[in-house]
C-alpha cells in the first residue's frame, strides 16, 4: 500500500546545472500535481498532468521548467539551468481525478532542492 | 482565485478550541483541508463536497456554506499534535479538469 513516492528527497545542484525530480503516484491514481513551497510559505501550484497529457501548466515558469507524465514510469519535473531562486521544496501529489467522487490529493514527502 | 484563510496564525493552550476559516470569491464544488508539520508533507484531513457529503478525520469537523463559498475547520479540545500549518484547497467544478488552489495557510501552535 505504497503512498506517493518522490526521489530524490534532497538534491543539491550548482547554478546552471539541471535538476530532475521524480514522482510515482499512488496505485490507482492517474492524476499528478506539482507544487513548489518556499520556507514558511504556502503551496504554489505549478502543473497538473494526466498520463501523456498536460492538463494545466498555468503555474509553471515559461522558461527552464518542464514536466511530463509518460505512459510508463514516473512523472518528472525538470528544471534546466537552475538558479539560486529555484531553491525550494517541491511536492508532488496524486489523485484519482475529477469525476471520481472524492478527489482528495495525497502528497509525497517532497524533494528539497538546494542550488549553490 | 486563491482562497483566503483566516486567521493567519493562532496560539492556543492544550484543550482549547480553534476555528479556521476559508473563503472564496468563486462558486465551489469542494473544499479540501490539509495539515502540514514543519519539514513534512501536507497530510489530508477532510474534503467537503457541494451538496453536503464529506469525508475525513474522526476528531476534526468542518462545515461548508455553499452559498457563501466559505468553509470552516473546527478543532475542539486541541492536542499538542494539532500544531502545524493548516491549508484549505478549493475545487471549482467536478466535471472539468480543474486544479485545486490552496490558501496561504493558518499556523496553529498549541502550548502545553
Amino acid at each position: 500500500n505504497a503512498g506517493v513516492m518522490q526521489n530524490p528527497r534532497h538534491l543539491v545542484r550548482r547554478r546552471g546545472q539541471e535538476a530532475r525530480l521524480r514522482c510515482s503516484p499512488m496505485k490507482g491514481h492517474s492524476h499528478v500535481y506539482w507544487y513548489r513551497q518556499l520556507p514558511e510559505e504556502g503551496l504554489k501550484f505549478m502543473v497538473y498532468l494526466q498520463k501523456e497529457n498536460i492538463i494545466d501548466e498555468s503555474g509553471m515558469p515559461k522558461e527552464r521548467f518542464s514536466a511530463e507524465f509518460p505512459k510508463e514510469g514516473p512523472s518528472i519535473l525538470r528544471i534546466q539551468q537552475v538558479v539560486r531562486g529555484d531553491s525550494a521544496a517541491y511536492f508532488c501529489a496524486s489523485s484519482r481525478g475529477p469525476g471520481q467522487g472524492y478527489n482528495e490529493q495525497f502528497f509525497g514527502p517532497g524533494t528539497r532542492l538546494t542550488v549553490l | 482565485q486563491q482562497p483566503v484563510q483566516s486567521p493567519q496564525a493562532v496560539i492556543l493552550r492544550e484543550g482549547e478550541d480553534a476555528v479556521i476559516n476559508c473563503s472564496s470569491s468563486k462558486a465551489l464544488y469542494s473544499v479540501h483541508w490539509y495539515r502540514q508539520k514543519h519539514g513534512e508533507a501536507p497530510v489530508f484531513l477532510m474534503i467537503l463536497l457541494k451538496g453536503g457529503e464529506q469525508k475525513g478525520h474522526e476528531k476534526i469537523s468542518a462545515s461548508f456554506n455553499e452559498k457563501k463559498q466559505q468553509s470552516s475547520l473546527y478543532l475542539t479540545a486541541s492536542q499538542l499534535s494539532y500544531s502545524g500549518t493548516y491549508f484549505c484547497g478549493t475545487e471549482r467544478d467536478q466535471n472539468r479538469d480543474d486544479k485545486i488552489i490552496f490558501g496561504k495557510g493558518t499556523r496553529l501552535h498549541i502550548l502545553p
Side-chain angles (χ1 to χ4, degrees):
Chain A
N1 191 21
V4 179
M5 298 173 67
Q6 287 187 250
N7 68 78
R9 296 288 301 275
H10 299 275
L11 183 61
V12 179
R13 286 286 178 266
R14 295 191 178 280
R15 280 182 298 170
Q17 292 184 319
E18 178 180 288
R20 284 196 179 215
L21 288 61
R22 294 175 184 77
C23 170
S24 296
M26 280 180 68
K27 188 176 180 180
H29 285 189
S30 58
H31 290 65
V32 166
Y33 312 78
W34 285 94
Y35 297 89
R36 181 162 82 171
Q37 187 176 42
L38 294 171
E40 307 304 320
E41 293 192 9
L43 297 155
K44 182 177 181 297
F45 168 80
M46 297 183 74
V47 62
Y48 169 21
L49 310 103
Q50 204 176 1
K51 279 200 181 286
E52 300 184 285
N53 184 29
I54 296 175
I55 298 172
D56 186 334
E57 56 181 348
S58 58
M60 288 267 277
K62 298 295 181 191
E63 297 177 355
R64 303 188 298 108
F65 285 72
S66 62
E68 62 176 6
F69 189 13
K71 187 176 179 180
E72 301 290 338
S75 175
I76 295 174
L77 178 68
R78 183 182 177 206
I79 310 172
Q80 295 178 290
Q81 299 176 328
V82 295
V83 300
R84 288 215 175 104
D86 296 334
S87 295
Y90 292 83
F91 288 100
C92 162
S94 72
S95 75
R96 287 178 295 179
Q100 301 289 326
Y102 297 107
N103 190 29
E104 65 267 42
Q105 295 183 9
F106 293 91
F107 283 80
T111 294
R112 280 150 185 83
L113 173 65
T114 301
V115 180
L116 302 177
Chain B
Q1 295 290 337
Q2 185 177 37
V4 177
Q5 289 186 233
S6 62
Q8 289 185 329
V10 183
I11 300 176
L12 296 177
R13 292 209 172 273
E14 198 174 6
E16 293 181 335
D17 301 338
V19 180
I20 300 172
N21 300 303
C22 174
S23 63
S24 173
S25 59
K26 301 285 186 182
L28 301 174
Y29 170 71
S30 70
V31 178
H32 305 228
W33 287 97
Y34 291 79
R35 177 172 60 212
Q36 185 179 31
K37 293 186 179 287
H38 184 70
E40 299 181 8
V43 173
F44 170 76
L45 293 177
M46 177 164 284
I47 181 171
L48 303 102
L49 304 184
K50 184 177 177 180
E53 291 183 62
Q54 58 178 259
K55 173 184 175 184
H57 204 282
E58 290 180 357
K59 295 184 179 180
I60 295 174
S61 62
S63 64
F64 180 19
N65 186 324
E66 297 164 28
K67 287 184 180 178
K68 292 185 177 180
Q69 292 120 233
Q70 292 177 347
S71 177
S72 294
L73 186 71
Y74 305 98
L75 303 167
T76 56
S78 57
Q79 305 171 16
L80 293 175
S81 62
Y82 287 7
S83 290
T85 301
Y86 289 78
F87 293 100
C88 74
T90 54
E91 186 180 13
R92 286 184 300 171
D93 191 308
Q94 177 192 14
N95 296 315
R96 296 187 315 165
D97 276 325
D98 199 16
K99 57 188 176 286
I100 295 170
I101 300 294
F102 287 92
K104 292 185 177 181
T106 295
R107 288 178 180 73
L108 177 65
H109 187 63
I110 310 294
L111 300 171

